[in-house]
Amino acid sequence: MKETIEKIGESLEFISIAEPKFKTNTLELVFMVPVSKEKNAAYALAMSLLTYSCKDYPGYAELTKKLHAMYGASLNYGISKRGDVLQLSVEASVIDNRYVPEGTDLLAELTDLLLGCLFAPNAENGAFSDREFRIQKQDLLDAIEAEINNKRSYAMTRAARTAFEGEPFAAPLYGEKEDVEALDPAAVYAAYEELLRTAVIRIYHVGPAAAPMLADRFRTAFADVARCPVAVAFHAPSPCKAETVRVNDPMPVNQSKLVIVCKGTAPKPFAMNLMSTMFGAAPFSMLFMNVREKMSLCYYCASRVIAGKKALFIDSGVELENAEKACEAILAQLDAVRQGDFDDELLADAKHSMLNQLRGIGDTPSSCISWSHRQFCNGESHTIDELADIYEAMTRQDMMDAANALQVDTIYLMQQEVQHA
């Protein structure tokens, strides 16, 4: 996996990752702007419209037909948060030219199509096409409405709003329903233009070989954009509340959802990741083996690190009558880590799990992009082998220090309805 990085504009970089075993070419643009309660909805809707149609293919059917004609090429968008940064991506992929008739340049076609979507959208007089706008607006409203159907994810979102209240990270990824309803085609087009001007942008190409001409194509495409990028904060640690906040949220659910949010910074970089793997992020973890299997207090129990906010989320599905017992048992397991009360074998298994994840980087184009992007966001320059050595060298004391750095900030319970006889 050979990576080269080229600056092609203000806070605008082109990253080429060449890996001969790949049989496809993937292009992904990542736009990074500060999370904004007022703007998230407009940004999300703009990104969906850019991948739904464009001037050359002014309807979803026409665009889909074009992708099918390119041997099943794909075009998608994505939205995520990292720290207090909103990340909006457009990703396109197509099979390599080696596997199509001679004289067919699918990578060039894909680049033309992607640039057309980005710089010649289906818009006129400073506004997106009304028909496509109404379709995508309704899709976004449906997606917001549907969030409540995934109760586990919804409970995590509700807990985050309390844990990070007053911070940008608490803002909904797609905005609130009323934010979307207030949008019109002109407002969303203005948000699209703002993204081109103000976002920090990374453009990734992953394929079997480098394609030097691509950097020039994108440099030329952005040449007429008056770039004025806004600073972004990938790391925005959240202060822990003086007293733990407890939230009981009654909802018509058949299974209660318990979410515990802890905050704190481990003394050693990456130690929190390994501690979480050992504590609750793997099938052999303490939470799974003890709280779920031995104590039978929950249906699932897991932990995950939110690195940009220096936080650890622990979520569990429980029966209401077991909620308090499960909470106590989870925190008791965290205390066990703090005191070093765990087997050497558990730490070794956690290290093996992390090393296996690292060895998988480079198996897919998306893993290559994720690795490169994480390095950029974290300001790191480690090789995969160097990071593996860092994990291998971690000790029991490092795990204890990581656990001791955590304080409980929020305990959220999505409370199921009790059926009375």
Side-chain angles (χ1 to χ4, degrees), residues 267-302:
K268 242 184 207 182
F270 309 109
M272 195 66 76
N273 294 337
L274 185 59
M275 193 283 292
S276 177
T277 300
M278 186 182 76
F279 174 61
F284 54 78
S285 67
M286 297 169 73
L287 293 183
F288 184 88
M289 296 304 296
N290 296 320
V291 181
R292 183 188 187 276
E293 294 296 291
K294 290 182 182 178
M295 302 180 191
S296 299
L297 289 174
C298 58
Y299 297 100
Y300 62 84
C301 195

CSV table of all heavy atoms in Angstrom, one decimal, residues 267-302:
chain,number,residue,atom,x,y,z
A,267,PRO,N,-3.5,8.5,30.1
A,267,PRO,CA,-2.2,9.0,30.0
A,267,PRO,C,-1.4,8.7,28.8
A,267,PRO,O,-0.6,9.4,28.3
A,267,PRO,CB,-1.5,8.5,31.3
A,267,PRO,CG,-2.7,8.1,32.2
A,267,PRO,CD,-3.8,7.7,31.3
A,268,LYS,N,-1.6,7.5,28.3
A,268,LYS,CA,-0.9,7.0,27.1
A,268,LYS,C,-1.8,7.0,25.9
A,268,LYS,O,-2.9,6.5,25.9
A,268,LYS,CB,-0.4,5.6,27.3
A,268,LYS,CG,1.2,5.4,27.3
A,268,LYS,CD,1.6,4.0,27.5
A,268,LYS,CE,2.9,4.0,28.1
A,268,LYS,NZ,3.4,2.6,28.3
A,269,PRO,N,-1.3,7.5,24.7
A,269,PRO,CA,-2.1,7.4,23.5
A,269,PRO,C,-2.4,6.0,23.1
A,269,PRO,O,-1.6,5.1,23.3
A,269,PRO,CB,-1.1,8.0,22.4
A,269,PRO,CG,-0.2,8.8,23.2
A,269,PRO,CD,0.0,8.2,24.5
A,270,PHE,N,-3.6,5.7,22.7
A,270,PHE,CA,-4.1,4.4,22.2
A,270,PHE,C,-4.5,3.5,23.3
A,270,PHE,O,-5.1,2.4,23.1
A,270,PHE,CB,-3.2,3.7,21.2
A,270,PHE,CG,-2.7,4.6,20.1
A,270,PHE,CD1,-1.4,5.1,20.0
A,270,PHE,CD2,-3.6,5.0,19.1
A,270,PHE,CE1,-1.0,5.9,19.0
A,270,PHE,CE2,-3.2,5.8,18.0
A,270,PHE,CZ,-1.9,6.2,18.0
A,271,ALA,N,-4.1,3.8,24.6
A,271,ALA,CA,-4.4,2.9,25.7
A,271,ALA,C,-5.9,2.7,25.9
A,271,ALA,O,-6.4,1.6,26.2
A,271,ALA,CB,-3.7,3.4,27.0
A,272,MET,N,-6.7,3.8,25.7
A,272,MET,CA,-8.1,3.7,25.9
A,272,MET,C,-8.7,2.7,24.9
A,272,MET,O,-9.7,2.0,25.2
A,272,MET,CB,-8.8,5.1,25.8
A,272,MET,CG,-10.2,5.1,26.3
A,272,MET,SD,-10.3,4.8,28.1
A,272,MET,CE,-9.7,6.4,28.7
A,273,ASN,N,-8.2,2.7,23.7
A,273,ASN,CA,-8.7,1.7,22.7
A,273,ASN,C,-8.5,0.3,23.1
A,273,ASN,O,-9.4,-0.5,23.0
A,273,ASN,CB,-8.0,2.0,21.3
A,273,ASN,CG,-8.3,3.3,20.7
A,273,ASN,OD1,-9.4,3.9,21.0
A,273,ASN,ND2,-7.5,3.8,19.8
A,274,LEU,N,-7.3,0.0,23.6
A,274,LEU,CA,-7.0,-1.4,24.0
A,274,LEU,C,-7.8,-1.7,25.3
A,274,LEU,O,-8.4,-2.8,25.4
A,274,LEU,CB,-5.5,-1.5,24.3
A,274,LEU,CG,-5.1,-2.9,24.7
A,274,LEU,CD1,-5.4,-3.9,23.6
A,274,LEU,CD2,-3.6,-2.9,24.9
A,275,MET,N,-7.9,-0.7,26.2
A,275,MET,CA,-8.7,-1.0,27.4
A,275,MET,C,-10.2,-1.3,27.1
A,275,MET,O,-10.8,-2.2,27.7
A,275,MET,CB,-8.6,0.2,28.4
A,275,MET,CG,-9.1,0.0,29.8
A,275,MET,SD,-10.9,0.0,30.0
A,275,MET,CE,-11.3,1.7,29.7
A,276,SER,N,-10.8,-0.5,26.2
A,276,SER,CA,-12.1,-0.7,25.8
A,276,SER,C,-12.3,-2.1,25.1
A,276,SER,O,-13.3,-2.8,25.4
A,276,SER,CB,-12.6,0.4,24.8
A,276,SER,OG,-13.9,0.1,24.4
A,277,THR,N,-11.4,-2.5,24.3
A,277,THR,CA,-11.5,-3.9,23.7
A,277,THR,C,-11.5,-4.9,24.8
A,277,THR,O,-12.3,-5.9,24.7
A,277,THR,CB,-10.2,-4.1,22.8
A,277,THR,OG1,-10.2,-3.1,21.8
A,277,THR,CG2,-10.3,-5.5,22.2
A,278,MET,N,-10.7,-4.8,25.8
A,278,MET,CA,-10.6,-5.8,26.9
A,278,MET,C,-11.9,-5.7,27.8
A,278,MET,O,-12.4,-6.7,28.2
A,278,MET,CB,-9.4,-5.5,27.7
A,278,MET,CG,-9.1,-6.5,28.8
A,278,MET,SD,-7.6,-6.0,29.8
A,278,MET,CE,-8.3,-4.6,30.7
A,279,PHE,N,-12.3,-4.5,28.0
A,279,PHE,CA,-13.5,-4.2,28.9
A,279,PHE,C,-14.8,-4.5,28.3
A,279,PHE,O,-15.6,-5.2,28.9
A,279,PHE,CB,-13.4,-2.7,29.3
A,279,PHE,CG,-14.6,-2.3,30.1
A,279,PHE,CD1,-14.8,-2.8,31.4
A,279,PHE,CD2,-15.4,-1.2,29.6
A,279,PHE,CE1,-15.9,-2.4,32.1
A,279,PHE,CE2,-16.5,-0.8,30.4
A,279,PHE,CZ,-16.8,-1.4,31.6
A,280,GLY,N,-15.1,-4.1,27.0
A,280,GLY,CA,-16.4,-4.4,26.5
A,280,GLY,C,-16.6,-4.4,25.0
A,280,GLY,O,-17.7,-4.5,24.5
A,281,ALA,N,-15.5,-4.2,24.2
A,281,ALA,CA,-15.7,-4.1,22.8
A,281,ALA,C,-15.4,-5.4,22.0
A,281,ALA,O,-15.4,-5.4,20.8
A,281,ALA,CB,-14.8,-3.0,22.2
A,282,ALA,N,-15.3,-6.5,22.7
A,282,ALA,CA,-15.0,-7.8,22.0
A,282,ALA,C,-15.8,-8.9,22.6
A,282,ALA,O,-16.3,-8.8,23.8
A,282,ALA,CB,-13.5,-8.1,22.1
A,283,PRO,N,-16.0,-10.0,21.9
A,283,PRO,CA,-16.9,-11.1,22.4
A,283,PRO,C,-16.3,-11.8,23.6
A,283,PRO,O,-17.0,-12.5,24.3
A,283,PRO,CB,-16.9,-12.1,21.2
A,283,PRO,CG,-16.5,-11.3,20.0
A,283,PRO,CD,-15.6,-10.2,20.5
A,284,PHE,N,-15.0,-11.6,23.9
A,284,PHE,CA,-14.3,-12.2,25.1
A,284,PHE,C,-14.2,-11.2,26.2
A,284,PHE,O,-13.6,-11.4,27.2
A,284,PHE,CB,-12.9,-12.7,24.7
A,284,PHE,CG,-12.1,-11.7,24.1
A,284,PHE,CD1,-11.4,-10.7,24.8
A,284,PHE,CD2,-11.9,-11.7,22.7
A,284,PHE,CE1,-10.6,-9.7,24.2
A,284,PHE,CE2,-11.1,-10.7,22.1
A,284,PHE,CZ,-10.5,-9.7,22.8
A,285,SER,N,-14.8,-10.0,26.0
A,285,SER,CA,-14.6,-8.9,27.0
A,285,SER,C,-15.2,-9.2,28.4
A,285,SER,O,-16.1,-10.1,28.5
A,285,SER,CB,-15.1,-7.6,26.4
A,285,SER,OG,-16.6,-7.7,26.3
A,286,MET,N,-14.9,-8.4,29.3
A,286,MET,CA,-15.4,-8.5,30.7
A,286,MET,C,-16.9,-8.3,30.8
A,286,MET,O,-17.6,-9.0,31.5
A,286,MET,CB,-14.6,-7.5,31.6
A,286,MET,CG,-13.2,-7.8,31.7
A,286,MET,SD,-12.2,-6.5,32.5
A,286,MET,CE,-12.7,-6.7,34.2
A,287,LEU,N,-17.4,-7.3,30.0
A,287,LEU,CA,-18.8,-7.0,30.1
A,287,LEU,C,-19.6,-8.2,29.5
A,287,LEU,O,-20.6,-8.6,30.0
A,287,LEU,CB,-19.1,-5.7,29.3
A,287,LEU,CG,-18.6,-4.4,29.9
A,287,LEU,CD1,-19.1,-3.2,29.1
A,287,LEU,CD2,-19.1,-4.3,31.4
A,288,PHE,N,-19.1,-8.7,28.3
A,288,PHE,CA,-19.8,-9.8,27.7
A,288,PHE,C,-19.8,-11.1,28.6
A,288,PHE,O,-20.8,-11.7,28.8
A,288,PHE,CB,-19.2,-10.1,26.3
A,288,PHE,CG,-20.0,-11.2,25.6
A,288,PHE,CD1,-21.0,-10.8,24.8
A,288,PHE,CD2,-19.6,-12.5,25.7
A,288,PHE,CE1,-21.7,-11.8,24.1
A,288,PHE,CE2,-20.3,-13.5,25.0
A,288,PHE,CZ,-21.3,-13.2,24.2
A,289,MET,N,-18.6,-11.4,29.0
A,289,MET,CA,-18.4,-12.7,29.7
A,289,MET,C,-19.0,-12.7,31.1
A,289,MET,O,-19.6,-13.7,31.6
A,289,MET,CB,-16.9,-13.0,29.8
A,289,MET,CG,-16.3,-13.3,28.5
A,289,MET,SD,-17.1,-14.6,27.5
A,289,MET,CE,-16.8,-16.0,28.5
A,290,ASN,N,-19.0,-11.5,31.8
A,290,ASN,CA,-19.5,-11.5,33.2
A,290,ASN,C,-20.9,-10.9,33.3
A,290,ASN,O,-21.8,-11.6,33.8
A,290,ASN,CB,-18.5,-10.6,34.0
A,290,ASN,CG,-17.1,-11.2,34.1
A,290,ASN,OD1,-17.0,-12.4,34.2
A,290,ASN,ND2,-16.1,-10.4,34.0
A,291,VAL,N,-21.1,-9.7,32.8
A,291,VAL,CA,-22.5,-9.1,33.0
A,291,VAL,C,-23.5,-9.8,32.1
A,291,VAL,O,-24.6,-10.1,32.6
A,291,VAL,CB,-22.4,-7.6,32.6
A,291,VAL,CG1,-23.8,-6.9,32.8
A,291,VAL,CG2,-21.4,-6.9,33.5
A,292,ARG,N,-23.2,-10.2,30.9
A,292,ARG,CA,-24.1,-10.9,30.1
A,292,ARG,C,-24.2,-12.4,30.3
A,292,ARG,O,-25.3,-12.9,30.6
A,292,ARG,CB,-23.8,-10.6,28.6
A,292,ARG,CG,-24.9,-11.3,27.7
A,292,ARG,CD,-24.4,-11.2,26.2
A,292,ARG,NE,-25.5,-11.6,25.3
A,292,ARG,CZ,-25.7,-12.9,25.0
A,292,ARG,NH1,-25.0,-13.8,25.5
A,292,ARG,NH2,-26.7,-13.2,24.1
A,293,GLU,N,-23.0,-13.1,30.3
A,293,GLU,CA,-23.0,-14.5,30.3
A,293,GLU,C,-23.2,-15.0,31.8
A,293,GLU,O,-24.1,-15.8,32.0
A,293,GLU,CB,-21.7,-15.1,29.7
A,293,GLU,CG,-21.6,-14.8,28.2
A,293,GLU,CD,-22.7,-15.5,27.4
A,293,GLU,OE1,-22.7,-16.7,27.3
A,293,GLU,OE2,-23.6,-14.8,26.9
A,294,LYS,N,-22.4,-14.6,32.7
A,294,LYS,CA,-22.4,-15.2,34.0
A,294,LYS,C,-23.6,-14.7,34.8
A,294,LYS,O,-24.2,-15.4,35.5
A,294,LYS,CB,-21.1,-14.9,34.7
A,294,LYS,CG,-19.9,-15.7,34.1
A,294,LYS,CD,-18.6,-15.4,34.9
A,294,LYS,CE,-17.4,-16.1,34.3
A,294,LYS,NZ,-16.2,-15.8,35.0
A,295,MET,N,-23.8,-13.3,34.8
A,295,MET,CA,-24.8,-12.7,35.6
A,295,MET,C,-26.2,-12.7,34.9
A,295,MET,O,-27.2,-12.5,35.6
A,295,MET,CB,-24.4,-11.3,36.0
A,295,MET,CG,-23.1,-11.2,36.8
A,295,MET,SD,-22.7,-9.5,37.2
A,295,MET,CE,-21.1,-9.6,37.7
A,296,SER,N,-26.2,-12.9,33.6
A,296,SER,CA,-27.5,-12.9,32.9
A,296,SER,C,-28.3,-11.6,33.2
A,296,SER,O,-29.5,-11.7,33.3
A,296,SER,CB,-28.3,-14.1,33.1
A,296,SER,OG,-27.6,-15.3,32.8
A,297,LEU,N,-27.7,-10.5,33.2
A,297,LEU,CA,-28.4,-9.2,33.5
A,297,LEU,C,-28.8,-8.4,32.3
A,297,LEU,O,-29.4,-7.4,32.4
A,297,LEU,CB,-27.5,-8.4,34.4
A,297,LEU,CG,-27.3,-8.8,35.9
A,297,LEU,CD1,-26.3,-8.0,36.6
A,297,LEU,CD2,-28.6,-8.9,36.6
A,298,CYS,N,-28.3,-8.9,31.1
A,298,CYS,CA,-28.6,-8.1,29.9
A,298,CYS,C,-28.6,-9.0,28.7
A,298,CYS,O,-28.2,-10.1,28.7
A,298,CYS,CB,-27.6,-7.0,29.8
A,298,CYS,SG,-25.9,-7.6,29.6
A,299,TYR,N,-29.2,-8.4,27.6
A,299,TYR,CA,-29.2,-9.1,26.3
A,299,TYR,C,-27.9,-8.8,25.5
A,299,TYR,O,-27.4,-9.7,24.8
A,299,TYR,CB,-30.4,-8.6,25.5
A,299,TYR,CG,-31.7,-9.0,26.1
A,299,TYR,CD1,-32.4,-8.0,26.8
A,299,TYR,CD2,-32.2,-10.3,26.0
A,299,TYR,CE1,-33.6,-8.3,27.4
A,299,TYR,CE2,-33.4,-10.6,26.6
A,299,TYR,CZ,-34.1,-9.6,27.3
A,299,TYR,OH,-35.3,-9.9,27.9
A,300,TYR,N,-27.3,-7.6,25.7
A,300,TYR,CA,-26.0,-7.3,25.1
A,300,TYR,C,-25.4,-6.2,26.0
A,300,TYR,O,-26.1,-5.5,26.8
A,300,TYR,CB,-26.2,-6.8,23.7
A,300,TYR,CG,-27.0,-5.5,23.5
A,300,TYR,CD1,-26.4,-4.2,23.7
A,300,TYR,CD2,-28.3,-5.6,23.2
A,300,TYR,CE1,-27.2,-3.1,23.6
A,300,TYR,CE2,-29.1,-4.4,23.1
A,300,TYR,CZ,-28.5,-3.2,23.3
A,300,TYR,OH,-29.3,-2.0,23.2
A,301,CYS,N,-24.1,-6.1,25.9
A,301,CYS,CA,-23.4,-5.1,26.7
A,301,CYS,C,-22.1,-4.8,26.0
A,301,CYS,O,-21.3,-5.8,25.9
A,301,CYS,CB,-23.2,-5.6,28.1
A,301,CYS,SG,-22.8,-4.3,29.3
A,302,ALA,N,-21.8,-3.6,25.6
A,302,ALA,CA,-20.6,-3.3,24.9
A,302,ALA,C,-20.1,-1.9,25.2
A,302,ALA,O,-20.9,-1.0,25.6
A,302,ALA,CB,-20.9,-3.5,23.4
